[in-house]
Amino acid sequence: MERLKLALVHLDVVHGEAGRNRDELVLFNERAAENGARIIVNTELAVSGYSFGSRDEIACLVESQEGPTVTALRQVASRYGCFIVLGYPEKDERTDIYYNAAAVIGPDGALLLNYRKVTAEVRWACAGTSFQRNSFETPWGRVGVLICSDTYYGAIPRMSSLNGVDLLLVPANWPGGSLDPRELWQVRAKENGFFLAACNRSGKDKTMSCEDAYSCIYGPDGTKILESCSCTSDIFFADLPLEGGKLPSCRETQLRSREPSLYTPMYLDMRYAADLTSYYKLPEAAKMSVASRSFPAEELFTGDRLEETVDAYSGEKTALLVLPAGIAGDNEDVLNRLALAARKSQVNVCTGVVSEKDGSTVIAFAEKNGNLSLRSKKYGQHCFIDLDNARIALAFKDELYHPEMVIACAKQGCDLIVCSASCLNDHDQRVLGARSIEQTGLAVSGNNRAFICQPPEGHYRWAEVSAKNGEGCSVTLDIERLRQKTFYDRLDYGLLLRKQ
């Protein structure tokens, strides 16, 4: 079987010692090339180290695209005929602006592109533009580059996927902690259908330890190919499969279900929407109890089971109950029962109804007053429902594989997205959980698992409760906090909203 050999230079970067780091980079890149690596990825800011509090602190370490480190690695690339990606602190000689940059060097030693981190360090670095070129052609397919936290917001890797990237390379400086980058990188590979290779680092920086930092490679289906860390400098190798000499990405399949017409509100400028409640005339925010229940699909709509399940959550304790999608023998009867159960138990209820005829699913939402709302993919439009204290949206599982969908909902004041599905796997839970980064909560139910996620605070992982195999989970959401949304808007909306 044809293979493409990648090398990740997991360097023990010594803070502030550019000469020492440069010598190590040359040595380890030569070793990687001698061992057959055709693409070599180095860590973020591999020359300087990471933590700097001002321009003055890093001024003696920045260098131009023609500087000593890029020049030295250009010689390595041309000598061995390989591609090299180098993370370094760049100084633009024309403007004296500093950037956190990644140079991409071709096998002839030419500088193919110089990518500047978009989510840059605010104390010293200028953010790169969202319109800059970040991909290049190789014999094996189109390869893209992002730097570390550029992968945090789902729309930034999505732009690379829309630009045809089959393999995303990520120089990183991301230590272990509450938000494990391995989980996030696996999500980005899966939801975009491309290979993702992240080169992290080792050692102790000025303000952090990276001895538990992992370098990783994931396949386009989310499969783990490599997850490795080291307390000292090391090189991690991996062979990626090729088909007909090309990387077999799933990008086109993953992007096929996109509906750009649903995403248009994502471009809205929310800088002046400090109070979303008054801005959108939303229901007055208050704490709201939400429950999500897993349930075998073949049982949910059998006899009186639906009404019994809803009744178990009756009373003031649960404001919203999310149930999985079940097969209905008589859709009209099920919907009537759902509305009746919601009104009787005074609980807002969401469930999916799967047609026995063609397998299509409708998401049904019954309010506690008996009002019934239905959402079908056939009509391709958002469905927002204002409850007593929150605005919710209904969404299908595959829609939530697209960050654009969630950003659009959040920018229209959505507090919580509700999803009723059939079977859910581990990838589904990770991907949909990561959607909360886009500034909304999610309550998801399937017949084998259920979970509720809330947006992360600071650099922590999103909050999540979950249950499996017929069990349920619940949480009390602080809707006021959910309305304190901060959006990342340095995006190419023309690309993200372009019709397919």
Side-chain angles (χ1 to χ4, degrees):
M1 179 183 290
E2 298 177 281
R3 297 279 179 175
L4 167 62
K5 193 165 193 174
L6 257 64
L8 308 181
V9 178
H10 192 89
L11 198 70
D12 180 356
V13 184
V14 179
H15 187 270
E17 296 190 17
R20 182 265 185 196
N21 295 329
R22 186 179 303 118
D23 290 343
E24 288 275 278
L25 282 167
V26 171
L27 175 64
F28 277 87
N29 277 262
E30 287 178 334
R31 288 181 183 173
E34 287 168 356
N35 279 276
R38 305 301 305 277
I39 298 177
I40 303 171
V41 190
N42 294 278
T43 186
E44 176 184 19
L45 296 175
V47 183
S48 59
Y50 183 79
S51 302
F52 297 93
S54 67
R55 277 176 51 90
D56 289 343
E57 280 191 23
I58 200 171
C60 63
L61 299 167
V62 295
E63 56 184 85
S64 71
Q65 297 177 23
E66 294 78 34
T69 310
V70 176
T71 298
L73 290 184
R74 287 179 67 175
Q75 293 171 358
V76 175
S78 63
R79 190 182 317 135
Y80 291 96
C82 58
F83 292 87
I84 295 178
V85 178
L86 165 71
Y88 74 108
E90 180 199 358
K91 174 183 177 179
D92 187 328
E93 298 288 2
R94 298 171 301 171
T95 61
D96 202 27
I97 294 175
Y98 298 168
Y99 296 95
N100 182 338
V104 178
I105 303 164
D108 59 355
L111 184 64
L112 297 180
L113 65 87
N114 189 75
Y115 173 76
R116 292 162 171 171
K117 187 177 182 181
V118 176
T119 58
E121 292 63 37
V122 296
R123 299 182 190 277
W124 65 268
C126 179
T129 172
S130 60
F131 301 99
Q132 66 183 306
R133 183 169 67 92
N134 80 316
S135 61
F136 57 100
E137 293 295 340
T138 74
W140 314 286
R142 179 168 285 273
V143 177
V145 177
L146 294 178
I147 299 176
C148 201
S149 59
D150 286 348
T151 60
Y152 180 76
Y153 299 101
I156 301 178
R158 173 51 53 89
M159 292 191 300
S160 293
S161 185
L162 289 170
N163 276 323
V165 164
D166 302 303
L167 165 64
L168 185 67
L169 306 178
V170 184
N173 191 117
W174 197 325
S178 62
L179 177 57
D180 191 332
R182 289 176 291 177
E183 182 175 31
L184 200 58
W185 288 331
Q186 188 175 36
V187 165
R188 300 301 177 228
K190 172 66 176 176
E191 69 190 12
N192 288 294
F194 50 39
F195 289 89
L196 186 149
C199 181
N200 222 323
R201 56 160 290 182
S202 185
K204 294 184 178 180
D205 203 75
K206 183 179 179 181
T207 61
M208 67 180 77
S209 173
C210 291
E211 293 177 326
D212 61 348
Y214 277 81
S215 288
C216 312
I217 301 177
Y218 299 101
D221 59 355
T223 301
K224 179 180 73 175
I225 297 174
L226 180 146
E227 287 182 351
S228 297
C229 69
S230 173
C231 293
T232 58
S233 295
D234 205 344
I235 307 171
F236 303 131
F237 294 94
D239 292 323
L240 302 189
L242 299 175
E243 294 179 3
K246 300 293 183 180
L247 289 163
S249 73
C250 304
R251 174 176 43 79
E252 292 184 3
T253 301
Q254 285 297 101
L255 298 181
R256 194 173 297 146
S257 61
R258 292 180 75 246
E259 292 288 347
S261 61
L262 284 175
Y263 313 149
T264 309
M266 72 179 296
Y267 75 75
L268 295 173
D269 186 341
M270 304 299 289
R271 285 178 295 171
Y272 305 110
D275 180 3
L276 282 176
T277 302
S278 60
Y279 190 81
Y280 278 124
K281 295 182 173 55
L282 299 175
E284 202 61 37
K287 292 186 177 180
M288 183 176 77
S289 178
V290 177
S292 186
R293 173 78 184 270
S294 61
F295 213 108
E298 65 274 10
E299 294 182 20
L300 182 59
F301 294 152
T302 302
D304 297 326
R305 199 61 187 272
L306 177 61
E307 295 174 49
E308 291 173 1
T309 303
V310 175
D311 188 60
Y313 289 86
S314 64
E316 296 182 0
K317 185 176 180 181
T318 301
L320 171 61
L321 171 63
V322 187
L323 297 173
I327 297 174
D330 183 336
N331 283 27
E332 185 175 352
D333 178 62
V334 166
L335 295 176
N336 288 335
R337 281 174 176 261
L338 180 67
L340 180 64
R343 186 167 59 247
K344 177 184 175 184
S345 302
Q346 286 297 285
V347 178
N348 300 292
V349 186
C350 178
T351 190
V353 181
V354 182
S355 169
E356 282 188 319
K357 294 180 179 179
D358 58 10
S360 62
T361 301
V362 172
I363 298 180
F365 191 94
E367 297 177 56
K368 63 183 182 181
N369 60 9
N371 287 345
L372 191 65
S373 300
L374 302 178
R375 180 153 192 269
S376 168
K377 287 185 184 178
K378 179 180 179 181
Y379 299 106
Q381 58 187 9
H382 290 288
C383 181
F384 295 110
I385 301 169
D386 286 347
L387 303 179
D388 291 341
N389 303 112
R391 171 169 288 182
I392 70 161
L394 308 182
F396 292 91
K397 180 184 76 172
D398 59 339
E399 292 181 316
L400 296 177
Y401 264 71
H402 304 298
E404 304 96 312
M405 176 72 170
V406 179
I407 297 170
C409 288
K411 283 195 172 183
Q412 294 177 87
C414 179
D415 301 307
L416 178 70
I417 294 178
V418 177
C419 175
S420 175
S422 298
C423 187
L424 297 163
N425 60 35
D426 290 342
H427 287 304
D428 296 331
Q429 186 166 349
R430 280 189 288 266
V431 171
L432 272 58
R435 286 286 81 82
S436 63
I437 291 173
E438 318 303 345
Q439 300 297 291
T440 185
L442 291 99
V444 184
S445 175
N447 54 56
N448 60 332
R449 68 179 74 196
F451 52 94
I452 304 169
C453 302
Q454 301 178 66
E457 295 190 50
H459 294 290
Y460 293 90
R461 186 186 186 273
W462 57 90
E464 180 176 344
V465 295
S466 62
K468 290 185 177 181
N469 303 322
E471 299 297 321
C473 57
S474 63
V475 67
T476 298
L477 298 178
D478 185 347
I479 302 302
E480 185 63 42
R481 189 187 82 79
L482 289 175
R483 291 195 184 158
Q484 297 169 10
K485 303 180 189 295
T486 302
F487 296 100
Y488 190 84
D489 282 333
R490 196 170 283 116
L491 303 170
D492 183 351
Y493 292 111
L495 174 62
L496 289 163
L497 296 173
R498 186 178 303 155
K499 293 180 180 179
Q500 296 164 300

